[in-house]
Amino acid sequence: MQVNNWFEFAIFSLFTFAVILIGLPVSIYLLKKGVEGFRRYRFKKLPPNFLVAPGLGTYSVEVVFYGVFIFAFAIWYLFIDKGGQLLNFISEAKAFFAP
């Protein structure tokens, strides 16, 4: 992504930080709770208070799938997409602040 002004830099940095600070921890939490739910309940429905936020999944396999999907997206975005957006963010920030 080519950063030309402050608005583009703000959007790019907010999304990158959101993937790092929200996407990775949530995916690890969902994977952990999905495996824990599978050990306890197998293929039965999870209790309503099993996860922090209701509505993230009713079966353990579903919760594991959500965790894998979010984790795969975060890794793809940070390290694979267009050479890794994390590295692109660092180089764009250097170029933007120190022309």
Side-chain angles (χ1 to χ4, degrees):
M1 176 177 183
Q2 184 67 29
V3 176
N4 295 323
N5 55 34
W6 283 99
F7 181 73
E8 290 177 357
F9 182 73
I11 296 293
F12 185 44
S13 60
L14 284 174
F15 188 76
T16 303
F17 287 136
V19 169
I20 294 170
L21 298 176
I22 297 171
L24 288 175
V26 166
S27 68
I28 293 169
Y29 170 76
L30 289 174
L31 285 169
K32 179 183 150 294
K33 290 301 269 188
V35 170
E36 180 183 330
F38 186 75
R39 286 184 184 162
R40 285 189 188 170
Y41 304 106
R42 297 288 174 191
F43 293 105
K44 297 177 187 173
K45 280 190 171 184
L46 297 173
N49 59 355
F50 187 73
L51 296 171
V52 172
L56 291 177
T58 53
Y59 295 95
S60 59
V61 176
E62 184 179 5
V63 175
V64 169
F65 175 75
Y66 291 153
V68 168
F69 181 77
I70 295 171
F71 186 76
F73 170 77
I75 296 300
W76 172 78
Y77 177 77
L78 292 173
F79 300 110
I80 298 171
D81 181 39
K82 298 178 186 171
Q85 293 297 340
L86 185 60
L87 297 174
N88 290 340
F89 172 73
I90 294 169
S91 64
E92 289 290 336
K94 285 180 185 177
F96 192 71
F97 287 116

